[in-house]
Amino acid sequence: MKKLTATTLFAMGLFAQLQATDLFTPVQKTDLRLPSVPLITSDPYLSIWSPYDKLNEGTTRHWTNDEKSLIGAVRVDGKVYRFMGKQALESLLPMAGSEEWEGNYTFDAPQGEWTAVNYNAEGWKKGKGAFGTNDMPVVRTSWNTKDIWVRREFNLNDAPADTPIYLKYSHDDVFELYLNGEKLVATDYSWKNNVVLELSDEVRAKMREGKNVIAAHCHNTTGGAYVDFGLYTTNKETAGFENIAIQKSVDVLPTQTYYTFTCGPVELDVVFTAPMLIDDLDLISTPINYISYQATSTDKKNHDVQVYIETTPQLTINEMTQPTRAQVIKKNGISYVQAGSIDQPITGRKGDLICIDWGYAYLAGNNGANTSVSLGDYVDMKAVFASKGELMPGQNEVVTRNADEMPAMAYSEDLGNVSSTGKSGFMMIGYDDVYSIEYMYERRMAYWKHDGKVSIFDAFERAKQNYQNVMERCRDFDAMIMKDAEKAGGKKYAEICAASYRQVMAAHKLFTDKEGNLMFFSKENNSNGCINTVDLTYPSAPLFLAYNPDLQKAMMTSIFEYSATGRWNKPFPAHDLGTYPIANGQVYGGDMPIEEGGNMVILAAAIAKAEGNANYAKKYWDLLTIWTDYLVEYGQDPENQLCTDDFAGHWAHNANLSVKAIMGVAGYSEMAKMLGLNNVADEYAEKAKKMAQKWMEMAGENDHYRLAFDRANTWSQKYNMVWDKMWGLNIFPGVIDKEINYYLTKQNAFGLPLDSRKEYTKSDWIMWTAAMASDMETFQKFVDPLYKYINETPSRVPISDWHHTDSGEWVGFRARSVIGGYWMKVLMDKMLVK
């Protein structure tokens, strides 16, 4: 009865005290250092990360690297300790997002010391920053040539002597920058926004009264081009927020990230929870995360403690020049600060490396004597908290029109006297995108809204009421994932899976079509922005096949329907359905017939194997037959077709692509058998065996098998063969063991290359390859270098699946769903048990 009473009271809206042993200690400690740590994750737009070893080392960011600031601080006996993020800087020399600036530029390589202060820029043109192609933000001077040189002269007579000065810059692609002739920046082929660099004392000493100059050169290799830069400093009024808490630990589990800090005589635990439980469609899709906190005295004395958490309307825009409106709302026991763009271009912006600019962000806290939310001046809000331990009286509404006007959306709780037993609380951050996806020319709401029957306020109230239960379920789920992964591949493998889970889930959006079919669409993050790409669905499949095949179907149904309704009439599946968030039909420039045909047929068979029946395949049997027959006709020796592994070049006669076709034919046979079509099953099983026998003759080369049938002295990962082992077909007898033994001779410090042409790799395919190993010891020989890569890579982005195996640096791609493929060994074990 006592337990029931407590639950009932909590359901009425009371914030339960959190138990340290239950909620603030991870179910398992982890050692893996992530290149970027997940904080707030829900979908491709609500996605905030910390690309640092320490949470308070820099500004939190969207996976695109755009700033999406979260600031956290705790005030202990009047002293502030910042545990999360960094406050925005004040401009000394603004960038284009705040105001236009003028510089001299030329597209012709300059002669002489063009970076020097007194260089004569006669003949250069005058233009407004930023400089770039028209598809880039706040471009005021068009740049469409390969190179640009820019000089920005300025006077800085009153440069602050006792506060740091920062250079801030954005560039696309190869970039070098000088201050008064001193080189400060030199990049390789990369593109980054709002990089912050503190000027050293030596550099500051070279700054002079009167004229100074920043000079930059950028070379555009391909695609968009961009140059913008400025100088910034900190604000003296919020100097208290420059005092940092000492981070003691960080542990990343599938749904939760745990931090512990020392804040003087108080220890602070902070937990970020994205309750994306894979078997709960409402929780997967509801765009609300928890930030929980606990303060505990460490010196046996009581201490006066207040907690502060802040964001800004920047969460709701893609470009800092977009105007926003924020307001305070109180509803049913919860106080909110809501913000959104004024224009609200719902599903209007599509493409890669962009952030949402429609819908509304919410910072939410319980109405109570000790908790509050407020909206007001960015500097004053923190200054008042630092001096008084409370939020300043806020404004009901704030409208902004440039970056420097962004207000603080702040939450605070006064924990009062904190002893060694500790005190705790939580707050929530969420995002209502109104409409999520345009699917076949109709806007669709996210799944959690149930076609408009559930509001964002309903969702917040449910999240508040169910907090304790959800947190416990997350802990149980995390424990299950860790147990399964550790059993399948050891501790390092389990930590890799833990680090990957939220990245995979948050690269998707869950909704239903007008017929009620479940849709789970990926965004092809940082590779071209396509929506529901089949060759992302395929590598990500192991996670969903292992834990919820309905989500696997939800990625595939739309591709089947696209063909079944006649909108796509080729004898193989489409590559994609558009550019996120618009899913009205394929936009990719070239077809991938064997690639996508093999993917869809194999995955249909994998679903049938996971569920023990082929009911899903039966609905689309005519299409699966057409696609399989295409694989039979063209898959034995693929012609010059696009393939997902064409990173190092485009080769015909691809042996691994042929394996995919053969496994598709074999998978079709397995489904036919389940459907009682025994003659069909026997016919296609025989075709697959004959194709495999011919494959071994064509690809064989001494101790391994070739990358392409006609290319001697080549090799590649034959990861598509994993299904042969998983399904126990043995249509490639002896091939897997020979290949695995050969791969072990080709590994580098940070992993197994994709093939013999380059030293870079795709880590999702490494995990598929590793799952074919005959024993745990061999499997871990592939896992160890991958663990080393994630642990040591200098590329501070959400895990990149495409990296150099010699240096550990990323080649490209980040935050993609394909690393769901890391679960292949878990899936293998689950299927082999069956």
Side-chain angles (χ1 to χ4, degrees), residues 362-380:
Y362 291 85
L363 179 147
N366 188 43
N367 290 344
N370 298 321
T371 61
S372 59
V373 302
S374 187
L375 171 68
D377 182 83
Y378 184 85
V379 172
D380 292 347

Side-chain angles (χ1 to χ4, degrees), residues 439-440 521 531-532 558-559 562 576-579 582-586:
Y439 176 56
M440 295 305 160
F521 282 6
I531 190 168
N532 206 32
S558 59
I559 300 296
Y562 190 32
D576 62 82
L577 287 181
T579 302
I582 308 299
N584 294 331
Q586 177 170 311

